[in-house]
Amino acid sequence: MQFDAFAQQKAIDAKPKKISPDLFGIFFEDLSYAADGGLYAELVQNRSFEYNPADNRDWNSMTAWKYQTDGFGYGTISVETANPIHQNNPHYILLDIQDAGQKGVGLENGGFDGIPVRGGKYYNFSVFLNVISSQPLPLTVSLVDTKGRELGTASFTASAKGWKKYSEKIKVNFDEDSAMLQLLVKSPGKVGIDMVSLFPEETFKNRENGMRADLAQTIADIKPKFMRFPGGCLTHGDGVANIYHWKNTIGPVEQRVEQRNIWNYHQSVGIGYYEYFRFCEDIGAKPVPVVAAGVSCQNSGGTWKIGSTGQKGIPMEDMDAYVQDILDLVEYANGPVTSTWGAKRAAAGHPAPFNLEYLGIGNEDKITGVFEERFRMIYDAVHKAHPEIKIIGTVGPSPNGEDFDKGWKLANQLAVGTVDEHYYEKPEWFLKNTSRYDGYNRLNSKVYVGEYASWGNTLFNALAEAVYMTNLERNGDVVRMASYAPLIARIGHTSWNPNLIYFDGKHVFPTVNYYVQQQFASNAGDEYLPGIINFTSADTTAGASCVKDSVTGDVILKIANAGSTQLFGTANLAKLGKLAQKATFTIICGDAKVANTAAHPAEVLPKTTVINMPKQWKFTVPAYSLSIVRIKAGK
Ligand code: AHR
């Protein structure tokens, strides 16, 4: 008998069904300055002097730095590599000061487009120094504005031979959007300088080596069920040497292996795997790390073309070690403190496990023999050692096509639990493809839509995504997870558009798409209730869903209308048992073309009111709107 997927789905759709409790999450990739200069609260750019022309042909160890001799001091400055803090962090600055002049001689850093500081706030400064001359050296560290006015300062003396970390707190007295950090040595002498760092005292949850509070809070406010990280293309990298290795990103920050970012800048890996896991925990999201499937990006070497074959495999003789690294990652996340890698997690400050449940292997790779051989090795080893880990495979960069088909074939052969589908398409595509998952065989691998977005940040784009998401909920038995991409981008440094959240040094600008994602993630359910909402007018550009959250008992209705006319319908709540007579009603609506921008950040915001909720709710929703109704269980 032939398998009739649509008939199977129809039957499933007739009854309430369990859907994924982890459906809506986020995907964080260090793209468009998302980590350094973004979520990472570090305010100094190129703190370790490791920028180099491989990152970006115009960059070097002194990028973002200025040699400061304003008070007529003089001496020499050089970039050195002999006897560094650590072999992983080879470059540092050597100052040999003959005359400190009236102000001292040293270094100045302008941060990422200027350092924004606020009067009355404290900032944590630290630096590694190696005093080579015999006398102790007096130093000052100051924040100054563009006219040289001092905003806050601290003084200290360095005397230790060999590398030593010095830490100071600076109180800032005035607001300034474009401050510079000056580190000045006040007397003649010779000193090595590295890891010049400045963090706001207040980071997200006041974590050390933490995240920028406003940006992190905006992400947390989505209430994502999971976070996929660290990429994207960043994970599989630009050639084998650029593959992201998690072990290079843990431990003391001055000992981590910094790396070129595939998006043409530098990764300090100040946010490394420890910080990613901790951030997931802090925002209540399950961690979903993605490791390269032993191959680099097929676009390696700049061949950004469909069908390009810049993909390179880790040499087979190195694959056992690579596979072991992945097994060690599971131990790092979940192992007891007595295990080798669990002990490293504990030493970093987290003895309790991070409760890793999901692991992605591969990112939209080209499905070649080279890929397949390595994917199988990793998959088999992880599956055997950790049957409890839910593995997510990969099926290429598009919603269909050769890699998609080959990826699915392999996943079904190996019975991979879930595969990661990606699509960036026009809003019309999302409206046309609402039944995409109706025909998926429920017995095959499940789906994680790891990256999707319609091409734009207008309300119409966001609503096309909303319509589609009501259908992801309807198919939440087979679509287990979904995340919009990319998540955040720094204005002036975007390598990809559109994004969910834009920011500069001081502000965060959530898009309309953000508010849609937030409404879905914070109003998720784990049971889909069919047949509750019925439209009585044309519905080709609309979608609706009704879910129940078994934890709170709340019932949630979502009605997305990406069409240009009002939409009419009814919600029959009579069959849902006792419910409260009032509900919260949240609506996002406006003109189709409107968008939230830096100049107009609040053009479209969700508005919430309380409404009466009859058992038969007759509704009229406006053109271009998303309505969310949340009804508590009745007493
Ligand atoms: O999200 C941006 C990029 O899109 C990701 O790095 C990659 O996986 C996809 O091509």
Side-chain angles (χ1 to χ4, degrees):
M1 197 179 81
Q2 261 229 306
F3 171 74
D4 183 346
F6 284 94
Q8 185 196 35
Q9 177 58 21
K10 237 176 152 187
I12 290 170
D13 257 0
K15 294 193 250 128
K17 64 177 170 185
K18 286 278 164 213
I19 60 170
S20 168
D22 297 333
L23 188 51
F24 298 119
I26 54 174
F27 162 47
F28 182 94
E29 175 167 17
D30 186 5
L31 158 69
S32 304
Y33 282 36
D36 293 309
L39 185 59
Y40 192 37
E42 174 63 82
L43 293 166
V44 174
Q45 185 173 187
N46 190 14
R47 67 180 174 191
S48 55
F49 307 98
E50 297 301 327
Y51 276 23
N52 64 74
D55 298 324
N56 178 313
R57 71 170 78 142
D58 299 327
W59 285 5
N60 58 51
S61 286
M62 280 300 284
T63 297
W65 291 100
K66 204 176 132 200
Y67 181 38
Q68 181 55 256
T69 55
D70 274 1
F72 306 105
Y74 62 88
T76 58
I77 179 170
S78 55
V79 178
E80 301 291 336
T81 53
N83 188 23
I85 298 181
H86 191 271
Q87 67 203 21
N88 291 342
N89 183 3
H91 298 89
Y92 63 91
I93 295 299
L94 185 68
L95 286 185
D96 190 353
I97 302 152
Q98 264 87 65
D99 183 338
Q102 293 156 11
K103 292 188 177 171
V105 169
L107 292 167
E108 182 177 285
N109 189 282
F112 296 89
D113 312 322
I115 299 177
V117 290
R118 288 291 158 265
K121 298 283 180 196
Y122 287 86
Y123 292 81
N124 293 333
F125 165 81
S126 64
V127 64
F128 278 77
L129 298 174
N130 178 7
V131 180
I132 292 158
S133 46
S134 50
Q135 296 302 315
L137 291 179
L139 291 103
T140 58
V141 54
S142 313
L143 281 151
V144 297
D145 70 11
T146 42
K147 297 196 180 81
R149 179 177 65 148
E150 195 175 278
L151 307 166
T153 190
S155 301
F156 61 104
T157 302
S159 53
K161 302 258 175 226
W163 290 104
K164 182 184 164 194
K165 185 174 177 178
Y166 298 83
S167 300
E168 294 295 325
K169 216 170 251 306
I170 304 175
K171 183 176 181 207
V172 165
N173 298 310
F174 310 98
D175 287 1
E176 171 60 48
D177 295 345
S178 273
M180 285 160 298
L181 182 79
Q182 280 185 354
L183 176 65
L184 298 174
V185 185
K186 299 291 209 174
S187 71
K190 202 170 178 182
V191 61
I193 303 176
D194 205 352
M195 296 303 286
V196 187
S197 169
L198 185 76
F199 276 79
E201 186 184 49
E202 291 164 19
T203 58
F204 185 60
K205 306 251 180 204
N206 289 324
R207 298 291 188 201
E208 224 179 283
N209 195 40
M211 310 297 183
R212 180 176 147 179
D214 56 349
L215 202 42
Q217 190 58 54
T218 307
I219 294 171
D221 288 345
I222 297 174
K223 300 209 165 55
K225 294 287 186 290
F226 65 86
M227 182 170 102
R228 175 180 183 244
F229 61 87
C233 290
L234 184 98
T235 297
H236 57 182
D238 190 2
V240 167
N242 193 239
I243 286 176
Y244 192 100
H245 293 278
W246 75 272
K247 284 183 181 173
N248 289 343
T249 74
I250 60 164
V253 288
E254 67 279 7
Q255 297 180 13
R256 296 183 185 179
V257 183
E258 305 194 10
Q259 198 180 13
R260 167 173 127 68
N261 188 313
I262 193 171
W263 299 104
N264 295 316
Y265 58 102
H266 186 86
Q267 299 172 71
S268 75
V269 293
I271 299 183
Y273 257 69
Y274 179 77
E275 289 75 20
Y276 278 123
F277 278 127
R278 188 183 62 185
F279 183 59
C280 287
E281 189 172 83
D282 282 347
I283 64 172
K286 292 182 182 176
V288 184
V290 184
V291 294
V295 294
S296 71
C297 183
Q298 53 266 34
N299 301 310
S300 295
T303 48
W304 287 89
K305 281 195 240 108
I306 303 254
S308 53
T309 51
Q311 183 188 76
K312 297 279 179 302
I314 292 178
M316 282 315 278
E317 62 270 25
D318 298 335
M319 273 305 289
D320 283 345
Y322 183 69
V323 170
Q324 188 55 50
D325 281 353
I326 297 170
L327 297 177
D328 292 343
L329 172 59
V330 180
E331 187 175 288
Y332 182 74
N334 290 353
V337 294
T338 48
S339 64
T340 309
W341 291 96
K344 290 190 197 292
R345 182 194 67 236
H350 203 286
F354 281 121
N355 302 318
L356 181 69
E357 190 178 320
Y358 296 103
L359 177 70
I361 304 176
N363 170 64
E364 59 175 54
D365 300 289
K366 193 156 185 58
I367 313 296
T368 60
V370 174
F371 165 86
E372 208 176 307
E373 191 177 12
R374 287 158 182 78
F375 180 87
R376 277 177 190 273
M377 273 182 83
I378 302 167
Y379 176 80
D380 287 347
V382 177
H383 189 55
K384 188 163 165 228
H386 294 287
E388 76 285 3
I389 295 290
K390 295 173 184 142
I391 296 177
I392 303 169
T394 181
V395 293
S398 314
N400 46 39
E402 193 186 331
D403 294 320
F404 183 83
D405 294 341
K406 284 184 174 172
W408 263 103
K409 195 169 163 210
L410 178 65
N412 286 330
Q413 253 173 36
L414 296 175
V416 177
T418 306
V419 298
D420 179 13
E421 295 191 353
H422 292 181
Y423 29 89
Y424 298 93
E425 299 285 345
K426 288 184 178 156
E428 292 76 14
W429 182 95
F430 285 86
L431 295 174
K432 268 193 208 127
N433 283 276
T434 50
S435 52
R436 175 178 175 89
Y437 294 107
D438 295 1
Y440 272 46
N441 185 343
R442 268 52 193 167
L443 304 175
N444 283 347
S445 304
K446 303 290 186 277
V447 177
Y448 167 28
V449 188
E451 297 181 24
Y452 71 94
S454 71
W455 289 118
N457 286 125
T458 69
L459 177 60
F460 179 61
N461 290 94
L463 291 172
E465 288 152 14
V467 169
Y468 195 76
M469 290 165 82
T470 61
N471 290 282
L472 295 183
E473 276 192 323
R474 187 167 58 76
N475 282 284
D477 54 331
V478 69
V479 180
R480 306 301 294 174
M481 304 155 89
S483 46
Y484 181 101
L487 182 63
I488 63 173
R490 186 175 182 113
I491 294 170
H493 300 277
T494 50
S495 326
W496 185 288
N497 279 303
N499 298 279
L500 200 62
I501 301 165
Y502 289 85
F503 62 92
D504 60 20
K506 281 190 320 179
H507 305 102
V508 180
F509 305 107
T511 61
V512 190
N513 316 63
Y514 166 90
Y515 290 111
V516 164
Q517 291 294 322
Q518 184 190 46
Q519 286 306 317
F520 275 79
S522 57
N523 287 296
D526 52 8
E527 190 180 4
Y528 182 80
L529 305 169
I532 304 294
I533 303 174
N534 290 294
F535 294 132
T536 49
S537 55
D539 64 352
T540 51
T541 48
S545 65
C546 175
V547 296
K548 185 173 177 175
D549 174 9
S550 67
V551 177
T552 58
D554 293 4
V555 167
I556 303 127
L557 314 176
K558 301 185 184 80
I559 306 161
N561 183 12
S564 58
T565 54
Q566 287 182 327
L567 192 67
F568 305 96
T570 55
N572 179 2
L573 306 175
K575 43 183 160 174
L576 297 181
K578 250 190 158 189
L579 291 174
Q581 285 162 6
K582 292 200 182 290
T584 54
F585 177 82
T586 303
I587 186 159
I588 296 174
C589 71
D591 189 76
K593 290 195 182 132
V594 79
N596 292 341
T597 61
H600 301 282
E603 290 290 289
V604 187
L605 297 176
K607 292 187 186 71
T608 301
T609 49
V610 174
I611 59 168
N612 288 324
M613 215 53 226
K615 290 276 171 204
Q616 291 289 331
W617 183 52
K618 282 200 162 66
F619 61 79
T620 306
V621 296
Y624 303 119
S625 65
L626 169 66
S627 304
I628 310 277
V629 182
R630 186 165 190 122
I631 318 158
K632 289 199 176 308
K635 296 201 179 103

